[in-house]
Amino acid sequence: MSRRVTVLVAGVVLLLGFGLVGTLVPVPYVAQVPGPTYNTLGDLDGEPIISVDGRDRNEVSGNLNLTTVGVPQRPLTLVGAVQGWFSSEVSVVPRDTVYPPDQTVEETQQQNRQAFLTSEQSANAAALGELGYPEKVVVQSVADGSPSAGQLQAGDAIEAVDGTPTPDTDTLDSVLTALPVGTATTVDYTRLGQPGTATITTTGGSSRPGSFLGVGVLQTPSAPFTVSIRVDDVGGPSAGLMLTLGIIDLVGDTDLTQGAVIAGTGTIDAGGTVGPIGGIPLKMIAARDIGAQLFLVPADNCQEALANAQPGLPMARVATLEDALTALQTFRDGGTPTPCTAGD
């Protein structure tokens, strides 16, 4: 072969080799894509995402969709990374920003799932507080082998112990601290709006002197019904705002959507403060793709949202739960909710 042909053949072989490497060898990056959205007013696999026990759910027809970011589990190759860098619907980020190097993938997923479960608790508290239900000492869990097992259950509001009212956790601790371990004490509680009484023999613990009931409690708004949330495949705290609105719509007095498709994102605390989240450009694409008529944007994400605005997707700036409810009221009335602006 001539020198020219030899060089050409060698170049083709090298090019094919680099192409093969680019399609097979993983790089230390991951791709993020628009994830599925979940209508908090609807069902998932035939079961309600938000279930209510102790009263009927309101009849609702609209959507309050929480939005997510998807992370494909297959390793990202060099070719896939280059394709992602040139796509407006893919975000390629260093793997360490999604999966910390000191944790396994499973540990990270478990941590994200726990953050979601915590956001459920905050969403429930924020929603019930907004609806005017009073704060009480509410059982969150009953430990295995607890003296309260079979007598108290999650959702019970502890009204009094040993005849002393317990309106808050400090008072409950004071009453139990004064009781000797092994005391058979009367616990008055409310379950789904109905009063009940249990006699529980207290146990001891190492965190303080005195007695324990063997339950985990939280001072939080309590209603004559319980709310449970089922979205098994979502992690992180960013669903909090939309879960809160879903609860309010299903048990409150106002139809928040009047049949419209609303999407959004944002963390929430028990007091109703809405916090920023990650991946908002991808979440806005997901909202656009389901035909959302309004997207609720955490105030601290407004600049990023403006830079990635989607045609036909109006945005509403929300810093609190009250902001979100006002935006929905304005939208229902045919007005324009407070938008994100360059000054945010």
Side-chain angles (χ1 to χ4, degrees), residues 243-340:
L243 291 173
T244 303
L245 294 172
I247 295 169
I248 292 173
D249 208 8
L250 290 169
V251 301
D253 297 326
T254 303
D255 182 352
L256 297 183
T257 69
Q258 291 185 352
V261 179
I262 310 296
T265 186
T267 66
I268 201 165
D269 64 20
T273 299
V274 175
I277 50 77
I280 198 161
L282 300 174
K283 293 179 178 181
M284 292 169 64
I285 293 171
R288 178 205 67 192
D289 289 347
I290 63 167
Q293 296 161 265
L294 183 68
F295 189 78
L296 304 179
V297 180
D300 289 342
N301 287 118
C302 268
Q303 288 302 306
E304 187 179 11
L306 284 171
N308 294 274
Q310 296 296 316
L313 181 65
M315 295 182 287
R317 176 190 187 277
V318 296
T320 64
L321 175 57
E322 287 300 323
D323 288 345
L325 293 171
T326 298
L328 294 178
Q329 177 69 63
T330 302
F331 181 81
R332 292 195 303 274
D333 292 341
T336 301
T338 302
C340 287

Side-chain angles (χ1 to χ4, degrees), residues 204-249:
S206 59
S207 60
R208 59 161 173 76
S211 290
F212 290 82
L213 296 175
V215 296
V217 298
L218 185 68
Q219 187 173 321
T220 188
S222 176
F225 53 83
T226 58
V227 173
S228 57
I229 297 170
R230 177 181 171 273
V231 192
D232 294 337
D233 296 330
V234 177
S238 65
L241 171 62
M242 301 311 293
L243 291 173
T244 303
L245 294 172
I247 295 169
I248 292 173
D249 208 8

Side-chain angles (χ1 to χ4, degrees), residues 82-149:
V82 172
Q83 291 173 337
W85 281 322
F86 285 97
S87 172
S88 61
E89 298 195 2
V90 178
S91 176
V92 177
V93 299
R95 182 177 178 83
D96 289 355
T97 64
V98 177
Y99 301 111
D102 59 343
Q103 293 181 344
T104 65
V105 171
E106 291 74 20
E107 288 172 337
T108 300
Q109 291 173 338
Q110 184 178 11
Q111 186 179 69
N112 289 339
R113 184 59 186 166
Q114 186 55 51
F116 179 84
L117 296 177
T118 300
S119 77
E120 286 185 10
Q121 191 176 72
S122 297
N124 191 55
L128 296 184
E130 173 64 29
L131 293 171
Y133 290 101
E135 282 197 355
K136 295 187 178 184
V137 178
V138 179
V139 175
Q140 303 297 302
S141 61
V142 181
D144 292 337
S146 162
S148 296

